[in-house]
Amino acid sequence: GAGVSQTPSNKVTEKGKYVELRCDPISGHTALYWYRQSLGQGPEFLIYFQGTGAADDSGLPNDRFFAVRPEGSVSTLKIQRTERGDSAVYLCASSQRTDSYNEQFFGPGTRLTVL
Amino acid sequence: SQQGEEDPQALSIQEGENATMNCSYKTSINNLQWYRQNSGRGLVHLILIRSNEREKHSGRLRVTLDTSKKSSSLLITASRAADTASYFCATDDQMDSSYKLIFGSGTRLLVRP
């Protein structure tokens, strides 16, 4: 079946602009996660959705970052007033289970470059 | 902050040799997962080992887990050039009901043909 998909694959924007990054999870997966990966580092957690609600947003770096999942499937990560430090690969993952055997499947990521 | 640390940071071996990567973590966990990443993009799930398991196999992969030492190792046997990638371990935190993953900084593996 289809895996997690993310669009766009690459996004180049100017400092101060607004961007939206989209994630389509695997059908039927109720848990959805966003991570951010800087060059040479492992991914770092941003936010977790269980269904439509953000159950854990403790990883969002500041209030310029926001994410929604209005129908419990597709999610959009929104970044306002982008800064050069926001440049990274943004990864989305989904999981069928919401217990301790939570195997997460990742999308290909969106590479964001802020000039 | 990142939970895990991988060792070595980089590894270069000849095709056909075995590759061993190690991972250490800090908290009590429910499970530990290993992922592969090519060219800095999507992560491919390799294997999940539960905290009550000590060893798990999948094809040419062998994972061990020592919860007393808070460490894990990934062994790739009979390596191939196609195994060239970065490898990450990821753990959850037993006290965290979101089960979000905490990653190490990865091991970059180069398999020379």
Side-chain angles (χ1 to χ4, degrees), chain A residues 33 37 56 100 102 104, chain B residues 31 33 35 37 41 98 100:
Chain A
Y33 299 79
Q37 185 176 22
D56 182 352
S100 60
N102 176 333
Q104 296 184 24
Chain B
N31 64 65
Q33 305 181 49
Y35 288 86
Q37 186 176 46
R41 297 306 293 262
S98 77
K100 58 180 175 277

Side-chain angles (χ1 to χ4, degrees), chain A residues 79-93:
Chain A
I79 310 174
Q80 298 177 322
R81 303 183 305 280
T82 51
E83 300 177 355
R84 292 193 180 88
D86 299 334
S87 296
V89 175
Y90 288 81
L91 295 162
C92 174

Side-chain angles (χ1 to χ4, degrees), chain B:
Chain B
S1 63
Q2 298 198 308
Q3 152 104 291
E5 292 187 6
E6 270 116 329
D7 168 52
Q9 291 187 334
L11 179 61
S12 178
I13 60 174
Q14 202 70 36
E15 201 166 30
E17 294 180 337
N18 296 342
T20 299
M21 290 160 264
N22 303 294
C23 164
S24 62
Y25 57 91
K26 298 175 183 173
T27 67
S28 296
I29 63 173
N30 295 301
N31 64 65
L32 182 146
Q33 305 181 49
W34 283 90
Y35 288 86
R36 185 184 73 225
Q37 186 176 46
N38 292 86
S39 305
R41 297 306 293 262
L43 291 123
V44 174
H45 188 272
L46 296 176
I47 198 165
L48 179 152
I49 186 167
R50 301 172 183 174
S51 60
N52 61 354
E53 298 176 310
R54 291 296 166 258
E55 187 171 313
K56 201 162 182 180
H57 296 254
S58 176
R60 293 185 295 112
L61 305 180
R62 173 177 168 256
V63 169
T64 62
L65 179 64
D66 186 337
T67 53
S68 67
K69 295 181 179 178
K70 291 186 167 59
S71 67
S72 173
S73 68
L74 170 67
L75 169 67
I76 304 174
T77 60
S79 63
R80 305 166 182 169
D83 295 329
T84 294
S86 292
Y87 291 82
F88 294 90
C89 72
T91 56
D92 63 359
D93 182 335
Q94 201 174 60
M95 302 304 292
D96 183 354
S97 60
S98 77
Y99 305 111
K100 58 180 175 277
L101 295 178
I102 308 169
F103 287 82
S105 53
T107 292
R108 296 185 306 280
L109 174 65
L110 172 64
V111 181
R112 305 186 304 274

Side-chain angles (χ1 to χ4, degrees), chain A residues 12-71:
Chain A
V12 179
T13 190
E14 293 180 342
K15 180 176 178 295
K17 299 289 188 184
Y18 167 83
V19 297
E20 290 189 350
L21 312 178
R22 176 187 168 110
C23 171
D24 270 277
I26 294 172
S27 178
H29 282 196
T30 57
L32 185 147
Y33 299 79
W34 283 98
Y35 295 83
R36 178 169 74 171
Q37 185 176 22
S38 300
L39 191 64
Q41 300 294 317
E44 293 189 311
F45 168 77
L46 294 176
I47 187 168
Y48 157 60
F49 286 90
Q50 178 52 44
T52 61
D56 182 352
D57 63 359
S58 62
L60 295 178
N62 51 60
D63 61 6
R64 294 186 299 104
F65 289 75
F66 189 71
V68 296
R69 195 186 185 200
E71 297 177 358

